[in-house]
Amino acid sequence: MSKQRTVYLECGKSTQVLYVIGTVINVDIYKPSPPLCQAFQVTSSPDVVCSISDRNNSNIAAQSANRWTLSEEIFLEIKVDQVSHTPNDKKVTVMFYRGDLAEPIDQMTLELTAIIVSLDVDADRDGIIEKNNPNKGSWKWGSKGHGAILLVNCDREEDSGIDNSDDKVSVLEDLEDMSRMILRTEGPNNLPDGYKLKLSISPPDKEKVQIFRHDMTKMTRVLGRTKMSTDVEFTKGNNEIHFFAEGLVFPNVEMTKLVTIHLDLLQKLHQDIPIFTEQVIFCLAPWIMTPNTLCPAEVFVCSVKYNVKFLEEFRGFVEKAQYKLTVCPESKNMSDLWIQDEIEFGYSEAPCKFLNVVLDSPRDRGLKDYAYKYLLGSDFGYIHVAGEERNSLNSFGNLEVSPPVTVNGKEYPLGRIIIGSSFPNSSGGRKISKAIQDFLIAQEVQSPIVLFSDWLAVGHVDEFMTFVPAPDRKGFRLLLASPDSCYRLFKKLKEEGYGEALMFEKQNGKQVKINEILNNQTLHEMNAFVQQCINWNRDVLKMELGLDEGDIIDIPVLFHQLNYLTKVSAYFPDMVNMIVIGKFLGIPKPFGPLINGKCPLESAVRSALEPLGLDCTFIDNFDSYHVRLGEVHCGTNVRRKPFTLKWWNMEI
């Protein structure tokens, strides 16, 4: 709909007006008409379009040299299609007549200086800032949607902190991480005095965005934080002023993710009066997690004095898979080997730019400075979230994401985030930090699911579930720890005469016979409870991810109660707690009984997963990780390539 502006004229006078092409000027003809006037006639310059309409906006007549009967129900609508070459070169004259007199008894004149003013952004998300896109002032999700995108500038181009932490642009490379905005003006070389342009943001947006103006020799901050508005000179002729917008914060539940930039053309009278206004809208780009089904880009592991043997095996596993391996030395990890718990790799994206972005947990142990000191850099962003430091549920082994799913017709093309907490609606127990949960919810594109994980000593969802790629069905399988399947396997071994076979036979720790495990009533009761907890989560995952039993594989795992805690941990190395890099699985070696030289626990996992085209490698993490209540997944991490789907093409 065209922007309307009402202008009042007086008989016997010429009124000069600055006109913005694309708007409509309305003139009341009846009120300023002289007494006893009965008719009027309108003439105008060739590139001025005039029409006569009634109060209901019904067109009565286009421009004509004929006289028209004067009535208080009609008014004049004026549009101009061409920019002025000189000030006031577009004219409209209204002449008033009495009876059949040939000469007008009075007239009034409108002199227009027609200009173009357009604040433009990449509203159709193709990387090009087109002129005056009709959808630049709104946001709509989907492949047929519109609205510009604002990338949070959380990387570091120089060794001076995160780029959006100050009000400066130190290097021009930083502009590549910002969203462009262009103010386009066109008009005569000499413009009427008393007009100016003003850019502004609303108070709620001042902490979301910072806008810089790029001149030939410098970058100047013009909006953001403490600066709510800025005057912009109206440049003469045909000109463009380039602005660059950087996001300051990722979406959160306390604010809308939309940012609005206002443009006003002001006329200085008693005070500045806007004669033209428009807006452009940006949407803050979210942080996105990557599931196991996406291709790895880089694998991470820590080196400490007591994981030398594990590291040797793990290095061979990654070399076989042919992916890049980064080893964090003890000088950087400060003897903290749980790199999965400290950080979560993800990314953020706009049409103009892709950023790897690492999410740093509030865990803050030996690895607390690793992400900021050694990962943050050019095109590698950083976020830190708040939380209770001593609550282990705030570590990111308690943070997973599913592959893409469709649930009851609703698509989640970027998957759904999965977090563990206490049992729903319970008053006690450990819960994941509200700050973390609110942050994940606010990203919106990976709608989180909350599971029950507080029954575990450490309390992380990766202790009882993971996802692996598959060539059929939904493109993946959900793996769940299953005490029931472990007991079935051990009972079968007993029936086959292997009840005296030893668990942990190759380990220095206490060995135990299969019969002893089967006869341990306390252990059996504890695992019956564990199975109920996992079954509850199984039902939630089936419902929230749209899965059926064919999408789930049970992995034999037993849990036992720790002497100093009421909660449980894995009895033998937890094979669900694996690392997935492409088709290659790095699985904790369970040290089950050896039957004819083979471990039946390993064989059960191979028979379930290898038909899916997966390559299983069992890695000894017993002394380095398992005895410290973690496994392979807890001590490793993977940065993955992004989804091909652009998040803004989702239907929300």
Side-chain angles (χ1 to χ4, degrees), residues 310 462-463 481 486 490 503-505 507 510 512 555-560 569-578 586-593 599 601-602 605 618-634:
F310 167 84
D462 70 350
E463 297 177 75
C486 189
F490 285 178
M503 290 283 295
F504 316 130
E505 186 176 3
Q507 292 302 114
K510 183 179 179 181
V512 60
I555 301 297
V557 180
L558 288 183
F559 296 84
H560 67 140
S569 66
Y571 182 66
F572 55 81
D574 181 353
M575 294 183 289
V576 171
N577 195 278
M578 65 178 69
I587 307 171
K589 187 175 183 62
F591 290 97
C599 171
L601 289 168
E602 292 185 20
V605 170
F618 291 88
I619 303 172
D620 180 0
N621 74 178
F622 198 99
D623 293 328
S624 50
Y625 294 87
H626 175 70
V627 297
R628 293 173 173 84
L629 306 186
E631 313 286 1
V632 172
H633 186 259
C634 306

Side-chain angles (χ1 to χ4, degrees), residues 174-347:
D174 195 24
L175 299 182
E176 297 176 4
D177 303 334
M178 301 186 191
S179 300
R180 291 192 302 144
M181 181 172 68
I182 300 176
L183 174 59
R184 293 182 167 109
T185 58
E186 189 174 347
N189 289 331
N190 298 300
L191 295 176
D193 293 331
Y195 294 94
K196 67 178 180 180
L197 290 165
K198 184 175 79 170
L199 284 175
S200 62
I201 54 177
S202 303
D205 290 342
K206 67 179 182 178
E207 300 301 329
K208 302 180 199 173
V209 66
Q210 195 161 234
I211 296 178
F212 297 89
R213 177 174 174 175
H214 186 206
D215 294 324
M216 293 297 294
T217 58
K218 63 179 180 177
M219 292 291 301
T220 306
R221 186 191 65 152
V222 295
L223 288 176
R225 292 195 171 106
T226 59
K227 196 167 180 60
M228 303 293 297
S229 65
T230 186
D231 292 342
V232 183
E233 71 276 11
F234 192 102
T235 51
K236 302 164 186 176
N238 188 347
N239 198 26
E240 293 183 349
I241 301 177
H242 289 252
F243 298 91
F244 292 81
E246 67 176 4
L248 300 179
V249 293
F250 280 89
N252 65 63
V253 295
E254 297 177 354
M255 68 180 191
T256 171
K257 57 176 58 65
L258 299 181
V259 175
T260 305
I261 314 297
H262 305 273
L263 172 67
D264 294 300
L265 176 59
L266 303 173
Q267 182 179 13
K268 188 171 183 59
L269 298 170
H270 177 65
Q271 61 184 24
D272 290 340
I273 301 296
I275 64 169
F276 169 79
T277 185
E278 69 174 356
Q279 67 181 28
V280 295
I281 285 183
F282 290 97
C283 181
L284 285 166
W287 179 77
I288 299 170
M289 280 185 68
T290 52
N292 288 349
T293 49
L294 288 178
C295 183
E298 188 174 5
V299 180
F300 291 79
V301 67
C302 288
S303 172
V304 294
K305 58 180 175 294
Y306 48 81
N307 77 338
V308 175
K309 183 174 184 294
F310 167 84
L311 196 57
E312 181 181 353
E313 289 188 37
F314 187 75
R315 192 187 299 273
F317 162 70
V318 177
E319 287 177 356
K320 180 176 71 171
Q322 296 185 335
Y323 291 109
K324 178 182 178 182
L325 176 64
T326 295
V327 179
C328 174
E330 198 156 9
S331 60
K332 295 180 180 179
N333 65 51
M334 307 301 289
S335 301
D336 180 5
L337 74 171
W338 308 111
I339 195 168
Q340 180 67 229
D341 288 342
E342 183 64 40
I343 57 177
E344 187 69 49
F345 289 105
Y347 68 93

Side-chain angles (χ1 to χ4, degrees), residues 497-568:
Y498 299 112
E500 295 298 302
L502 292 171
M503 290 283 295
F504 316 130
E505 186 176 3
K506 297 294 185 179
Q507 292 302 114
N508 295 326
K510 183 179 179 181
Q511 299 174 357
V512 60
K513 299 176 181 178
I514 297 302
N515 284 336
E516 291 175 326
I517 293 175
L518 293 175
N519 293 332
N520 187 331
Q521 189 61 26
T522 300
L523 184 66
H524 192 278
E525 290 174 358
M526 178 56 66
N527 277 278
F529 161 75
V530 168
Q531 188 66 62
Q532 286 184 333
C533 295
I534 294 174
N535 287 346
W536 189 91
N537 289 312
R538 184 191 201 98
D539 292 339
V540 172
L541 290 167
K542 287 171 68 174
M543 178 178 63
E544 296 290 349
L545 298 179
L547 307 180
D548 56 40
E549 284 298 320
D551 300 312
I552 302 173
I553 295 175
D554 290 319
I555 301 297
V557 180
L558 288 183
F559 296 84
H560 67 140
Q561 183 174 328
L562 299 175
N563 293 332
Y564 55 94
L565 292 172
T566 60
K567 301 181 186 299
V568 304

Side-chain angles (χ1 to χ4, degrees), residues 4 13 28 73 120 131 169 185 189 287 330 354 368 386 435 452 464 496 513 580:
Q4 303 284 324
K13 290 187 177 181
D28 190 314
E73 295 300 319
D120 295 319
K131 184 179 291 187
V169 177
T185 58
N189 289 331
W287 179 77
E330 198 156 9
F354 167 85
K368 66 178 181 178
F452 174 36
F464 64 86
E496 293 173 350
K513 299 176 181 178
V580 181

Side-chain angles (χ1 to χ4, degrees), residues 57-236:
N57 291 323
S58 297
N59 185 264
I60 296 175
Q63 182 174 339
S64 171
N66 295 330
R67 298 183 188 182
W68 299 95
T69 301
L70 186 64
S71 165
E72 63 178 321
E73 295 300 319
I74 62 175
F75 65 93
L76 182 63
E77 185 177 280
I78 300 169
K79 299 178 183 178
V80 182
D81 295 329
Q82 299 295 323
V83 172
S84 291
H85 297 290
T86 59
N88 305 317
D89 63 350
K90 317 291 184 184
K91 293 181 171 57
V92 178
T93 302
V94 180
M95 294 167 285
F96 296 98
Y97 296 87
R98 185 181 299 160
D100 294 330
L101 294 178
E103 296 297 322
I105 60 174
D106 212 337
Q107 69 180 39
M108 54 189 185
T109 302
L110 177 64
E111 297 180 350
L112 301 166
T113 303
I115 62 171
I116 289 175
V117 176
S118 178
L119 185 63
D120 295 319
V121 292
D122 180 15
D124 57 4
R125 309 162 186 165
D126 63 354
I128 300 172
I129 301 180
E130 60 277 358
K131 184 179 291 187
N132 228 3
N133 187 302
N135 295 317
K136 64 185 178 182
S138 60
W139 170 267
K140 182 181 178 183
W141 291 89
S143 58
K144 297 182 180 179
H146 56 258
I149 293 164
L150 183 62
L151 194 68
V152 179
N153 189 15
C154 60
D155 69 340
R156 179 170 61 192
E157 302 298 339
E158 292 189 313
D159 295 333
S160 56
I162 298 174
D163 286 342
N164 63 12
S165 62
D166 57 27
D167 59 359
K168 299 179 179 62
V169 177
S170 300
V171 292
L172 291 181
E173 287 81 1
D174 195 24
L175 299 182
E176 297 176 4
D177 303 334
M178 301 186 191
S179 300
R180 291 192 302 144
M181 181 172 68
I182 300 176
L183 174 59
R184 293 182 167 109
T185 58
E186 189 174 347
N189 289 331
N190 298 300
L191 295 176
D193 293 331
Y195 294 94
K196 67 178 180 180
L197 290 165
K198 184 175 79 170
L199 284 175
S200 62
I201 54 177
S202 303
D205 290 342
K206 67 179 182 178
E207 300 301 329
K208 302 180 199 173
V209 66
Q210 195 161 234
I211 296 178
F212 297 89
R213 177 174 174 175
H214 186 206
D215 294 324
M216 293 297 294
T217 58
K218 63 179 180 177
M219 292 291 301
T220 306
R221 186 191 65 152
V222 295
L223 288 176
R225 292 195 171 106
T226 59
K227 196 167 180 60
M228 303 293 297
S229 65
T230 186
D231 292 342
V232 183
E233 71 276 11
F234 192 102
T235 51
K236 302 164 186 176

